Amino acid sequence: MQLPIHPGASPNVLDRLVLFNWGNGLVAITAGMIFSFLLCGFWYPYWRIADMDFWIVYNGFLLNDGLPQEYFDHPGYLNIIFLSGWLRLLHAVGVLDVISLSAIPPVSEAANFARAWTYATQAGRVLSLAMAIAFVVVFAFLLRRLVRDWRIATLGAFALAFSGGLEMEMRIIRTELIAGGLVAIAFLIMIIAARTERSPWRPILIGVASLLAMLAMLNKVQVIFLICALPLVALPFGSRPDQPSGFWNGWRGWLAAALLCLLAVLAAIPAARLITEGLDPNIAAGFGLRPLIGDRFGTYQFMIAGWIGLGMVAYAVVWRVPVAELLAAMAAAIGGAALGLLVLNIQHNPHDVAVVVNPLEQMYLFAVGSTPEIAQGNGLFSSQRLQLILSFIIDLAARRTFVLHSSPRPTIFLEWFVIAATIFAWRSGERKLVLQVGALMLTVWGVDLIGMARDLKLEYFILTDPLVVIAAALLLMKLVKLHTHPWAYPVGVALIVSHVAVSQAEPVKHVFKKEGPEVLCGLYHHAKRVEQFSFCRKS
């Protein structure tokens, strides 16, 4: 039985759910983010989210004193550089007084000491908000380019802006915000390139996506798993044009490919020096890294490069891409990755290089420190590790129900819609759409499963939530019958309400936390140049 529709109302659910036009919709979403940020987040004490607010601010202070970075776990390279520059800018315009470690008042002046850390931390939170807004806006424009419907793009931007991970990341200083944003944009660009008919610009798009993916790696090496999924995700999005591309089958295409190959070589030569530095066993071992495969560094890195190259060849074979375009795309991918890696030279530190070049070793070292069970067992597939993986799978499945394991992640409800709509698409004969959505969702669940090694913390949601939004947008774009389905409007309203309500749970919870600044007492010793806090017991 169809629900009644108000006389004069559009039967299309998109017209009923989207209350503003394109521009005003983005303004409303941005205003909602700012309001939420000011209500809960900006005013948190500087020690409220000590991990990682404290570390990034501390390292920003170090850089502004001309001292080397000391935090390398993720390694947080871009966060630290951006915050350092942001503090200098605020100081130059007279907004901020203390922007370096040497300028912080002594700990004996408790009020002034706390004020310096508070203002710097609040400045960092404002920067996070600005980056989150930029991420949502860029994501919205690219999503609109992909689905060709501004209403779907507006809903997608809203779903991303009020996803649990982004809502928390935009009010604290975490490395996942930059890394997740860059890799999500890289995914969208790759999908757009894969769907685009023969064009001289497709290799350039691939080069831009490669650059963004590598920049994401500089901030959080965990995105390596998302990067490895790119070839599989892009494959089902291709198409065979009715007529072959004149550009890539002619002499101009070969000339463009040769030029891109030359540029890739010019970028790869200096980047190769960084790779060699990172794979140097003396340097890597000096930072506690140990080879995961064999007794030497560099084995799986070449396997990953080969996997990505193989994925590009497979795409070219399946969708009959001209050889010149394939070579140009490969050159652009290499050049983009090389340029991204060269950003490490802005504040060169061998530890940063070692972490970025050896991501799995760094993750293993970090995971073992926080989850010792991972190191149990002698073999790669020991019974202890298999049991641990099985427990991860069970817990991951329970989280998808929300009832068996709740979390501040409203995108779970959007996943329910994606699953239901995918079944509808299969029954409607949309096999290619099912493959496209399936590739995205398998990536989401696979990366989340890996994140279970750290209990899939709230901050990790931002790495995969954008892919769920893309999957939902693709389904809405293709399954136009859903737009007038009797249950479309109530389901849409329920998703919007649950998104807003659940996304605010964690920010509000932090307002009412009872612990005081003593949370820093177990952390400050990692900040070698900070005096012991007055509220900590003398050791």
Side-chain angles (χ1 to χ4, degrees):
M1 177 177 171
Q2 185 165 347
L3 297 177
I5 297 177
H6 189 275
S10 170
N12 192 315
V13 69
L14 298 181
D15 294 326
R16 302 173 67 194
L17 291 176
V18 180
L19 304 179
F20 306 96
N21 61 26
W22 171 245
N24 289 339
L26 292 183
V27 170
I29 292 170
T30 300
M33 296 172 68
I34 295 173
F35 177 76
S36 174
F37 171 79
L38 293 176
L39 194 64
C40 304
F42 178 74
W43 307 106
Y44 291 160
Y46 77 92
W47 37 261
R48 171 64 77 223
I49 317 290
D51 180 20
M52 297 171 46
D53 283 2
F54 182 72
W55 305 126
I56 302 300
V57 172
Y58 169 69
N59 279 268
F61 280 161
L62 290 179
L63 261 57
N64 285 342
D65 259 332
L67 298 170
Q69 175 183 338
E70 290 182 8
Y71 180 91
F72 301 98
D73 285 343
H74 293 186
Y77 181 77
L78 296 179
N79 264 104
I80 295 168
I81 287 181
F82 286 160
L83 181 60
S84 170
W86 175 240
L87 295 179
R88 291 198 302 272
L89 176 62
L90 293 179
H91 180 71
V93 298
V95 174
L96 205 60
D97 291 331
V98 178
I99 63 169
S100 62
L101 202 63
S102 60
I104 296 178
V107 71
S108 57
E109 300 178 18
N112 293 331
F113 180 87
R115 188 178 299 111
W117 280 97
T118 297
Y119 290 167
T121 303
Q122 288 176 339
R125 290 170 183 163
V126 171
L127 180 61
S128 292
L129 174 66
M131 290 190 294
I133 292 173
F135 173 28
V136 170
V137 171
V138 172
F139 184 90
F141 275 94
L142 289 174
L143 192 62
R144 182 178 182 180
R145 171 66 178 79
L146 176 64
V147 300
R148 305 288 186 175
D149 190 319
W150 67 268
R151 299 167 303 176
I152 297 176
T154 301
L155 290 172
F158 166 80
L160 175 64
F162 287 89
S163 59
L166 186 69
E167 273 294 301
M168 199 62 206
E169 292 271 357
M170 76 180 191
R171 65 194 79 224
I172 58 179
I173 311 171
R174 292 279 309 192
T175 56
E176 295 87 2
L177 176 58
I178 293 177
L182 290 174
V183 82
I185 293 170
F187 264 84
L188 271 173
I189 292 175
M190 282 292 294
I191 293 173
I192 291 171
R195 285 173 54 91
T196 303
E197 296 292 340
R198 299 290 187 260
S199 166
W201 298 104
R202 286 213 300 183
I204 302 300
L205 291 177
I206 293 172
V208 172
S210 178
L211 170 63
L212 296 178
M214 179 54 72
L215 290 176
M217 279 282 295
L218 303 191
N219 217 51
K220 191 171 184 69
V221 293
Q222 283 85 341
V223 298
I224 186 64
F225 302 112
L226 284 167
I227 293 172
C228 289
L230 271 170
L232 284 178
V233 170
L235 187 58
F237 283 92
S239 62
R240 295 177 181 175
D242 297 331
Q243 296 180 351
S245 170
F247 181 87
W248 291 110
N249 284 318
W251 65 269
R252 292 180 302 168
W254 284 102
L255 180 61
L259 179 60
L260 284 173
C261 287
L262 176 61
L263 294 175
V265 169
L266 293 177
I269 290 175
R273 299 192 188 100
L274 288 173
I275 295 173
T276 301
E277 178 183 6
L279 295 179
D280 187 311
N282 294 323
I283 293 177
F287 300 125
L289 304 179
R290 296 291 181 271
L292 290 184
I293 301 178
D295 57 355
R296 57 186 302 177
F297 293 96
T299 302
Y300 69 83
Q301 289 88 336
F302 291 103
M303 293 170 62
I304 290 174
W307 163 254
I308 294 174
L310 183 62
M312 297 181 74
V313 171
Y315 180 93
V317 171
V318 171
W319 304 114
R320 298 177 183 173
V321 175
V323 175
E325 184 179 4
L326 173 61
L327 293 176
M330 287 184 162
I334 294 171
L339 288 175
L341 192 62
L342 289 174
V343 173
L344 286 173
N345 285 328
I346 294 176
Q347 286 285 342
H348 183 271
N349 191 304
H351 202 158
D352 276 319
V353 177
V355 169
V356 172
V357 176
N358 302 285
L360 297 188
E361 285 85 355
Q362 173 65 18
M363 281 185 279
Y364 183 79
L365 178 68
F366 195 75
V368 167
S370 58
T371 312
E373 297 87 349
I374 294 176
Q376 294 178 358
N378 297 322
L380 181 61
F381 299 104
S382 65
S383 61
Q384 294 94 330
R385 286 179 180 163
L386 289 176
Q387 290 175 8
L388 185 63
I389 293 173
L390 180 60
S391 69
F392 288 167
I393 294 174
I394 294 173
D395 193 7
L396 187 66
R399 290 167 186 256
R400 258 56 202 181
T401 68
F402 193 80
V403 177
L404 297 177
H405 189 148
S406 62
S407 69
R409 189 178 192 178
T411 320
I412 291 295
F413 307 131
L414 192 60
E415 284 192 31
W416 295 357
F417 164 77
V418 168
I419 293 171
T422 302
I423 295 173
F424 183 84
W426 179 269
R427 292 178 175 177
S428 302
E430 296 285 354
R431 300 293 189 264
K432 187 175 181 180
L433 175 62
V434 171
L435 286 175
Q436 293 168 349
V437 172
L440 287 166
M441 295 310 299
L442 286 175
T443 301
V444 169
W445 296 329
V447 173
D448 280 356
L449 179 61
I450 295 170
M452 290 299 298
R454 298 291 318 284
D455 198 31
L456 193 59
K457 298 192 298 183
L458 165 68
E459 294 82 6
Y460 295 169
F461 298 166
I462 195 174
L463 300 179
T464 51
D465 278 350
L467 304 189
V468 180
V469 175
I470 295 171
L474 289 170
L475 288 163
L476 281 176
M477 173 191 70
K478 200 72 173 176
L479 303 177
V480 292
K481 290 182 179 179
L482 292 179
H483 299 182
T484 55
H485 192 279
W487 289 103
Y489 184 70
V491 168
V493 171
L495 284 174
I496 290 173
V497 172
S498 64
H499 235 75
V500 174
V502 176
S503 69
Q504 303 307 302
E506 197 70 14
V508 171
K509 185 180 76 174
H510 280 82
V511 173
F512 297 99
K513 275 193 170 182
K514 295 182 179 180
E515 61 236 358
E518 294 80 12
V519 295
L520 282 175
C521 296
L523 297 173
Y524 84 93
H525 61 274
H526 294 295
K528 303 174 184 177
R529 301 174 185 271
V530 175
E531 298 179 62
Q532 184 164 352
F533 294 109
S534 57
F535 44 76
C536 296
R537 293 181 179 179
K538 299 291 191 264
S539 56

